[in-house]
Amino acid sequence: MTDKIVIAGAGHAAGQVVATLRQQKFAGRIVLVGEEPWLPYQRPPLSKKFLAGDMPAERLLFKPPSFYEGPGIDLRLETRITAINRDDRTITLEENDQISYDKLVLAPGARVRELPVDGVNLNGVHYVRNIADVERLRESLAPGKRLVVIGAGYIGLEVAAVTRQAGLDVTVVEMADRVMSRVVSAEISDFYQIEHANQGVRLCLDTGVTALHGNKRVKSVEVSDGKQIPADCVVIGVGIVPNTELASDADLDVDDGIVVDDRCQTSDPHIFAVGDCTRHPNGIYGRSLRLESVHNALEQAKTAANNLCGKETHYSQVPWFWSDQYDLKLQIAGLSQGYDDVVIRGNPAMKSFSCVYLKDGRLIAVDAVNAPKDFIHSKSLIADRCVVDTKRLAIKQ
């Protein structure tokens, strides 16, 4: 019998585990252990509305504080777990206290990938991963200030959009030859490059960063051709790294993520894992995936919690993602890697179109820009592995 569930991590996925356990009428004790001082909260708005000052921190919360009140939930915030002891089913906390568990859910998420160059510890250099990061960043932002964003993925471009609209002088530096190169086609990259340039953002593509310079506070960013870009503030957004150390130290299976099955169970039947930290099987694409996605975190959390409550549930989902930049909403369904054909629906000049990706005639992904119907309809077609007529596909009513 499962009388006590410990959740290691207090992010979005952890909050959903608690919510689903409650929905399933779990009658045992829940212990939620997290390193931040905040209750589980949403991270996507951090680089969007929260950075812009359009959303207070309280509105980021996944559930209000009252949701966690009562005798069944024990909150351990600002608390770090140092070890998992599988033999006696306990976790060890930084203060050497131990907490026993019947079942353990690992939801440690991921941390920012640090830029390995000199000068990253100067004042005015920021990452965007948690509430405190953004609050510190906002103190550095003012109209006319020179901001250099390192990395042209979702986070970097969202920060560029928000700060440019706030009147900052913005330069984006990216090692790849186009923006968002890991997740979208050249057609989408070209569209966003034009949009950012039209908004006054300078893009330095195919350009590395060799150092940050300044005396206590950053003053410039040195790039691979030797030039120095003046900077009053720098934001680094070069990806994230899954937090797998606890799992590795406990000899759980790890492969660029904590390996789980389609029930979100690890190699230890008493331990589950959910969210950005996991590598899981995906039947739609026939391979294992590690996804950095709120949708994945929430659905895995529901799956794990259902199974913990004895409700057999198997995770099989079409991955999806989104990004808000200026008046553009990019919604991505599926994974386009390996496509052999792409069809454009709509008109990029009208700022409403989609890139539809095919492999061997089957629909595998859609990138929809201000085209929510294409995004919504594509998810079921991708899940069913539909073969589509490219001529009809290109016609947008």
Side-chain angles (χ1 to χ4, degrees):
M1 180 179 292
T2 300
D3 294 321
K4 185 177 180 182
I5 295 173
V6 173
I7 304 170
H12 214 146
Q16 184 63 62
V17 171
V18 176
T20 305
L21 288 174
R22 286 200 147 188
Q23 184 180 28
Q24 294 298 328
K25 310 298 183 186
F26 175 69
R29 186 180 172 203
I30 302 169
V31 183
L32 184 70
V33 185
E35 294 188 20
E36 291 188 63
W38 291 88
L39 292 169
Y41 64 89
Q42 307 168 72
R43 293 189 191 273
L46 291 179
S47 56
K48 306 177 184 73
K49 289 187 176 182
F50 186 62
L51 175 60
D54 296 334
M55 177 183 286
E58 291 73 20
R59 283 187 55 200
L60 294 173
L61 295 180
F62 182 68
K63 294 287 185 180
S66 59
F67 176 80
Y68 303 93
E69 294 175 356
I73 299 180
D74 180 5
L75 294 176
R76 303 288 186 93
L77 302 179
E78 297 185 272
T79 301
R80 191 170 73 89
I81 300 170
T82 58
I84 300 168
N85 315 298
R86 291 169 54 191
D87 291 340
D88 59 6
R89 292 192 213 166
T90 63
I91 59 170
T92 301
L93 307 181
E94 195 168 27
E95 303 83 1
N96 287 324
D97 293 339
Q98 290 193 329
I99 301 175
S100 62
Y101 64 84
D102 295 308
K103 299 291 184 182
L104 174 64
V105 180
L106 298 178
R111 61 188 181 275
V112 295
R113 187 182 301 278
E114 296 183 2
L115 189 67
V117 300
D118 291 340
V120 293
N121 294 321
L122 290 167
N123 292 332
V125 178
H126 302 270
Y127 293 89
V128 177
R129 186 60 183 169
N130 57 44
I131 290 174
D133 290 339
V134 179
E135 289 177 334
R136 284 191 296 268
L137 172 59
R138 285 197 304 208
E139 294 174 358
S140 301
L141 303 181
K145 292 287 187 180
R146 298 166 300 182
L147 171 67
V148 176
V149 178
I150 301 172
Y154 294 149
I155 295 295
L157 294 184
E158 287 168 1
V159 169
V162 169
T163 54
R164 184 70 193 107
Q165 289 177 305
L168 278 78
D169 179 285
V170 180
T171 301
V172 176
V173 181
E174 168 59 45
M175 285 187 65
D177 60 0
R178 57 186 179 90
V179 304
M180 297 187 289
S181 60
R182 288 197 309 121
V183 291
V184 300
S185 67
E187 290 84 353
I188 295 288
S189 293
D190 289 345
F191 173 80
Y192 274 87
Q193 285 163 200
I194 291 169
E195 286 299 312
H196 278 277
N198 288 341
Q199 294 285 344
V201 174
R202 285 183 296 276
L203 295 172
C204 299
L205 303 177
D206 204 15
T207 302
V209 172
T210 55
L212 308 184
H213 297 288
N215 182 14
K216 293 187 178 179
R217 185 171 185 86
V218 67
K219 294 296 182 184
S220 67
V221 175
E222 182 178 337
V223 294
S224 49
D225 64 3
K227 294 180 181 177
Q228 293 198 21
I229 303 171
D232 300 305
C233 181
V234 171
V235 172
I236 300 172
V238 292
I240 61 175
V241 179
N243 291 322
T244 60
E245 289 77 10
L246 278 175
S248 294
D249 292 345
D251 290 328
L252 296 173
D253 289 348
V254 172
D255 178 14
D256 182 38
I258 303 169
V259 177
V260 297
D261 61 16
D262 64 358
R263 299 175 68 251
C264 295
Q265 189 176 79
T266 71
S267 51
D268 183 324
H270 300 290
I271 302 177
F272 290 71
V274 295
D276 291 356
C277 67
T278 66
R279 175 167 290 279
H280 62 278
N282 184 286
I284 296 169
Y285 291 96
R287 65 181 189 272
S288 66
L289 305 172
R290 186 177 69 78
L291 297 173
E292 299 163 9
S293 157
V294 170
H295 165 252
N296 173 68
L298 295 178
E299 293 302 319
Q300 280 196 318
K302 294 174 187 177
T303 299
N306 283 336
N307 284 306
L308 286 166
C309 292
K311 183 180 178 180
E312 187 75 12
T313 306
H314 298 272
Y315 178 55
S316 179
Q317 299 273 335
V318 174
W320 62 266
F321 318 82
W322 82 95
S323 177
D324 295 325
Q325 301 170 39
Y326 308 113
D327 58 348
L328 307 171
K329 178 172 284 292
L330 171 63
Q331 295 172 292
I332 298 176
L335 302 173
S336 60
Q337 290 85 353
Y339 71 91
D340 54 27
D341 194 10
V342 60
V343 177
I344 305 295
R345 282 172 55 82
N347 185 358
M350 300 300 292
K351 296 187 179 181
S352 177
F353 72 103
S354 298
C355 276
V356 183
Y357 303 94
L358 308 170
K359 182 174 177 58
D360 298 327
R362 296 186 185 277
L363 181 64
I364 61 170
V366 170
D367 296 344
V369 179
N370 290 344
K373 289 183 179 179
D374 285 2
F375 169 72
I376 292 168
H377 294 325
S378 68
K379 288 191 285 187
S380 60
L381 297 176
I382 294 168
D384 292 338
R385 304 183 73 242
C386 287
V387 175
V388 295
D389 182 339
T390 56
K391 292 182 179 179
R392 292 183 61 190
L393 192 62
I395 301 172
K396 189 175 179 67
Q397 302 297 326

